[in-house]
Amino acid sequence: MTVNIPVLKEVTEANSMLADVLRTRFAEQGVFVLDLIASPGAGKTTLLERTIEGLDGSVRLGVIEGDPHTSIDAERMSAAGVPVVEVNTGGGCHLEARMIQSALGQLGADDIDALVIENVGNLICPTGWDLGEDAKVVIVSLPEGDDKPLKYPMGFLAADAAVINKTDLEPYSPAEVETMRENALSVNPDLEIFEVSCMTGDGVDAWLDWIRGRVAEKRARQG
Ligand SMILES: Nc1nc2c(ncn2[C@@H]2O[C@H](COP(=O)(O)OP(=O)(O)OP(=O)(O)O)[C@@H](O)[C@H]2O)c(=O)[nH]1
Ligand SMILES: [Mg+2]
């Protein structure tokens, strides 16, 4: 049945219009906005915890946590010491711009340098929805298999950067970091790639440098 396709197009167009309004607002405020997308369990929240710890207050972060049902990740962010707003999608597989607009009212985004949005765990649905972000980052963890960039190319095509997480598990997994990297770059040669272990901290410094750079760039373009 194709009956829903025009309706979906209208909905995504309305979403894109609102995302542009949000983007203008973020530009005026000089706030860098990141949309984190990944499969469930790839390590989005753990990377955020590492990021908050590593930046150590040098970048003021705010977080919007997209979760189908629970407040588990929002509680982890509160425990990590950053302002957070939880958005429960009621089982929905992605966040939309109207949800970000509504969450911003509660977050008080005037006092932050960067807003990180943890999208709902899913490598497909979140890729087609503009949230007014500056960059999408796709996280893929090694145990998911090094063929995932090839099987789910949309997330890698939509992203500016890819984080290959759980590199500490390479000795125990048939998947290889190098093959994951090659596959990601074969889908999108422009991807900036970070190989990290959120468990050991390996590779996290390069990721932190990238965030600091993007935040500074955004601030310099403010207005
Ligand atoms: N071995 C290892 N485990 C990790 C690493 N990063 C995260 N984990 C573990 O992976 C599991 C899932 O991590 P989360 O950060 O909750 O994953 P998520 O992507 O936020 O998951 P959802 O929000 O449910 O989609 C947790 O048990 C983490 O401790 C890593 O680098 N190495
Ligand atoms: Mg999470």
Side-chain angles (χ1 to χ4, degrees), residues 35-51 65-66 73 76-77 116-122 137-140 165-166 198 207:
D35 179 17
L36 276 186
I37 56 177
S39 309
K44 297 178 289 302
T45 314
T46 311
L47 181 67
L48 269 171
E49 288 168 336
R50 278 277 176 192
T51 304
E65 276 294 346
D73 286 357
R76 286 171 67 181
M77 290 297 98
V116 185
I117 301 165
E118 178 174 340
N119 219 312
V120 178
N122 185 325
V137 171
V138 61
I139 306 178
V140 62
N165 188 30
K166 308 195 188 181
C198 288
W207 160 252

Side-chain angles (χ1 to χ4, degrees), residues 49-61 208 212:
E49 288 168 336
R50 278 277 176 192
T51 304
I52 293 161
E53 186 188 19
L55 293 174
D56 194 22
S58 59
V59 173
R60 295 169 304 166
L61 290 176
L208 295 177
R212 286 190 195 97

Side-chain angles (χ1 to χ4, degrees), residues 27-41:
E28 285 166 3
Q29 294 172 321
V31 173
F32 173 63
V33 182
L34 194 62
D35 179 17
L36 276 186
I37 56 177
S39 309

Side-chain angles (χ1 to χ4, degrees), residues 1-176:
M1 293 285 282
T2 56
V3 69
N4 283 329
I5 289 173
V7 176
L8 179 62
K9 187 160 179 269
E10 271 175 37
V11 171
T12 53
E13 278 173 2
N15 180 79
S16 296
M17 283 167 64
L18 179 54
D20 282 340
V21 171
L22 294 178
R23 191 170 280 109
T24 302
R25 172 176 169 180
F26 294 136
E28 285 166 3
Q29 294 172 321
V31 173
F32 173 63
V33 182
L34 194 62
D35 179 17
L36 276 186
I37 56 177
S39 309
K44 297 178 289 302
T45 314
T46 311
L47 181 67
L48 269 171
E49 288 168 336
R50 278 277 176 192
T51 304
I52 293 161
E53 186 188 19
L55 293 174
D56 194 22
S58 59
V59 173
R60 295 169 304 166
L61 290 176
V63 175
I64 294 177
E65 276 294 346
D67 223 304
H69 297 291
T70 74
S71 59
I72 292 173
D73 286 357
E75 285 161 20
R76 286 171 67 181
M77 290 297 98
S78 281
V82 294
V84 58
V85 175
E86 163 196 320
V87 177
N88 282 146
T89 59
C93 63
H94 62 268
L95 295 176
E96 298 178 20
R98 65 188 168 83
M99 301 172 186
I100 303 305
Q101 184 185 42
S102 148
L104 283 173
Q106 299 166 60
L107 190 66
D110 294 343
D111 297 326
I112 58 173
D113 304 309
L115 172 68
V116 185
I117 301 165
E118 178 174 340
N119 219 312
V120 178
N122 185 325
L123 262 186
I124 299 175
C125 308
T127 61
W129 296 82
D130 188 353
L131 304 179
E133 73 278 355
D134 295 291
K136 281 192 194 294
V137 171
V138 61
I139 306 178
V140 62
S141 63
L142 202 63
E144 292 168 58
D146 52 28
D147 58 355
K148 291 304 167 285
L150 304 176
K151 293 188 69 183
Y152 301 90
M154 295 311 288
F156 294 82
L157 280 168
D160 299 77
V163 175
I164 301 173
N165 188 30
K166 308 195 188 181
T167 55
D168 57 288
L169 295 179
E170 192 168 37
Y172 317 103
S173 161
E176 292 175 351

